[in-house]
Amino acid sequence: MDFKAVETQNTNGGHTGGLAGPDMRKGPGPGLMGAETLIGNNVYNHQNEDIGNIKEIMLDMASGRVGYAVLAFGAFLGFGEKLFAVPWKALTLDTKNKRFVLNVEKSRLTAAPGFNKDMWPDMADQAWAQEVHAFYGTRHYLDDEHRE
């Protein structure tokens, strides 16, 4: 997520300050990033509480959109971990702190629709998707496609 601050030259020979582009040793971000660079990132809420980390990023292969980030929460020494499919639109990337922010209280997250690592839900099931999006207060990304 690091960009090099350099003096660049525009096509008229004049100089412009600013960002020359990504430092390729550290990845392109933050506007376009590889999914692998986001897996493992911490997730905090607006109360600055650590609420877990990103375990997986789920892609909708038909639409080409990111559907969900799988958040791991509640693990202690690797035990008791619960997974949550969080709608991508519910997350905000905090580039300053290199983490995601999810606007949900830690105590409320325990009531979120979740699953364990050995029994994943059918994420293509529309009833399941409606429940998840209702919990996080987001619209399903497919609803946006129908409005465009």
Side-chain angles (χ1 to χ4, degrees), residues 82-101:
K82 189 173 179 183
L83 302 177
F84 301 91
V86 177
W88 192 248
K89 289 182 176 184
L91 293 165
T92 304
L93 183 61
D94 176 355
T95 57
K96 180 181 177 189
N97 295 305
K98 297 182 180 177
R99 64 187 185 193
F100 284 97
V101 176

Side-chain angles (χ1 to χ4, degrees), residues 15 29-30 35 37 44 52 55 64 76 112 118 120 146:
H15 290 276
T37 64
Y44 280 71
K55 284 291 188 188
F76 180 72
D118 297 321
W120 285 53
H146 296 156

Side-chain angles (χ1 to χ4, degrees), residues 125-136:
D125 177 37
Q126 290 304 304
W128 175 86
Q130 286 176 349
E131 178 185 10
V132 169
H133 284 276
F135 182 86
Y136 293 101

Side-chain angles (χ1 to χ4, degrees), residues 48-95:
N48 206 35
E49 297 174 304
D50 183 354
I51 56 174
N53 62 62
I54 302 295
K55 284 291 188 188
E56 192 63 74
I57 295 175
M58 306 305 295
L59 306 174
D60 181 323
M61 300 309 292
S63 72
R65 290 186 170 200
V66 175
Y68 303 94
V70 176
L71 171 70
F73 169 73
F76 180 72
L77 300 176
F79 297 102
E81 180 177 75
K82 189 173 179 183
L83 302 177
F84 301 91
V86 177
W88 192 248
K89 289 182 176 184
L91 293 165
T92 304
L93 183 61
D94 176 355
T95 57

Side-chain angles (χ1 to χ4, degrees), residues 6-58:
V6 296
E7 194 69 22
T8 59
Q9 226 176 12
N10 65 23
T11 56
N12 297 329
H15 290 276
T16 60
L19 302 175
D23 179 343
M24 296 310 288
R25 295 169 295 163
K26 298 188 180 179
L32 185 64
M33 299 181 72
E36 187 175 309
T37 64
L38 302 173
I39 294 173
N41 279 17
N42 291 327
V43 180
Y44 280 71
N45 62 18
H46 288 294
Q47 291 78 31
N48 206 35
E49 297 174 304
D50 183 354
I51 56 174
N53 62 62
I54 302 295
K55 284 291 188 188
E56 192 63 74
I57 295 175
M58 306 305 295

